[in-house]
Amino acid sequence: MGKLWYILTAGLGGLAVVASVPARAEVTARTDSGFVIRVTGEVAASPAEAWKAFTTPSLWWNPQHTFSGEAANLSLDASANGCFCEKLPVPKGAPATQKPGSVMHMRVIYAEPYRALRLVGGLGPLQSEAVNGTMTVTFKPVEGSGGKSTRILWEYVVGGFMRYKTDTISGAVDKVLGEQISGLTKLIGPASPVDTKLLSTEPLAPEASVAGTRPGANDSATDVAPPPEEDAPTYTPDPTKDDAAAGESVKSALDQLFKKNDDRLPPGR
């Protein structure tokens, strides 16, 4: 357990190096049996580019928070039942037929490219505890950026029985996830302050608020997600709300979607 705790907490001094990057993590709720951590970062990339970078953790995950000590051993299959996994090296002296070891950090249960990704699993020392951990990640174009900047927001909800005090373990997980979003933001590049001249006094049209660009913009189809159907619910926070309200809206937006899908099921299903 001591080694696992080291894996989670080692290297936190690196946070000071990237403190200037527009990214942060905070514990938004905590009880004796669980906690919620909210992580945000704004990057200079389209939602499509941000999605591609996020789903390649080998490029930005801190290797000190791995079991193998090498971020290159990490992979993420961003599809339902896909694995956020890590390969472990074959022990020295093992037979030539010995396969590498492996770790499943999290499992994907929902994936919509460029918009939302949801995974379940206990990170670090939480893997040995009887807890459920659910991470929901959303990718939203920053208003006024023409689809060229994206806000990445993820919430990690943990609950169940654990042998750690939640006020201690939640703080450690908060710092580690803060370091990860900082690493991701540093890899892609932090978003520049939005030019106020780009901001319109009129609210964005529904298709623009989701796809991240106004109708007629010159963004290529590979840079942004295509606009959803007119009545399709959005996975991303309301851009008119502040950060705190935006974070709370993620769950309600997803719940609304699932409710609509359930309504379409035939009777008896």
Side-chain angles (χ1 to χ4, degrees):
M1 185 177 295
K3 181 179 179 181
L4 290 174
W5 180 261
Y6 172 78
I7 290 172
L8 181 68
T9 58
L12 296 182
L15 284 172
V17 176
V18 292
S20 60
V21 176
R24 65 179 182 273
E26 59 180 329
V27 180
T28 59
R30 182 171 53 224
T31 68
D32 290 341
S33 60
F35 55 90
V36 178
I37 293 174
R38 181 169 176 267
V39 182
T40 57
E42 293 191 357
V43 297
S46 68
E49 294 165 335
W51 171 279
K52 183 177 180 180
F54 183 89
T55 54
T56 314
S58 58
L59 297 179
W60 54 271
W61 195 271
N62 189 324
Q64 291 182 327
H65 304 306
T66 65
F67 289 91
S68 65
E70 297 288 343
N73 291 324
L74 296 173
S75 62
L76 173 55
D77 176 8
S79 58
N81 210 38
C83 182
F84 173 23
C85 284
E86 178 180 356
K87 288 197 300 184
L88 299 180
V90 175
K92 292 182 179 180
T97 56
Q98 177 63 51
K99 294 182 179 180
S102 59
V103 180
M104 175 183 281
H105 293 288
M106 305 191 87
R107 179 173 58 86
V108 177
I109 60 172
Y110 189 91
E112 184 183 6
Y114 316 161
R115 298 185 71 184
L117 185 67
R118 177 172 285 167
L119 309 94
V120 293
L123 293 173
L126 294 175
Q127 190 180 74
S128 65
E129 306 305 295
V131 299
N132 291 317
T134 302
M135 182 178 288
T136 301
V137 188
T138 59
F139 302 80
K140 177 179 178 57
V142 175
E143 182 179 3
S145 71
K148 298 302 183 182
S149 294
T150 301
R151 172 176 292 175
I152 303 173
L153 184 154
W154 78 69
E155 288 185 324
Y156 189 37
V157 183
V158 177
F161 178 80
M162 67 188 84
R163 292 167 290 182
Y164 300 105
K165 293 183 178 180
T166 56
D167 58 346
T168 301
I169 190 66
S170 64
V173 175
D174 171 45
K175 290 179 180 178
V176 169
L177 292 184
E179 183 175 351
Q180 305 311 327
I181 187 64
S182 294
L184 175 62
T185 304
K186 190 175 182 180
L187 169 70
I188 302 173
S192 301
V194 177
D195 188 340
T196 55
K197 294 180 181 179
L198 296 176
L199 298 177
S200 171
T201 56
E202 298 295 328
L204 291 176
E207 63 271 21
S209 64
V210 173
T213 181
R214 297 183 182 281
N218 293 325
D219 298 306
S220 66
T222 58
D223 285 340
V224 296
E229 297 179 5
E230 186 173 341
D231 60 347
T234 177
Y235 297 87
T236 50
D238 185 340
T240 63
K241 297 180 179 179
D242 59 21
D243 282 351
E248 294 174 358
S249 72
V250 173
K251 179 180 181 300
S252 61
L254 288 169
D255 289 344
Q256 179 185 8
L257 171 84
F258 296 138
K259 182 177 185 300
K260 284 195 174 186
N261 279 346
D262 291 343
D263 291 342
R264 297 192 189 103
L265 295 176
R269 291 294 298 275

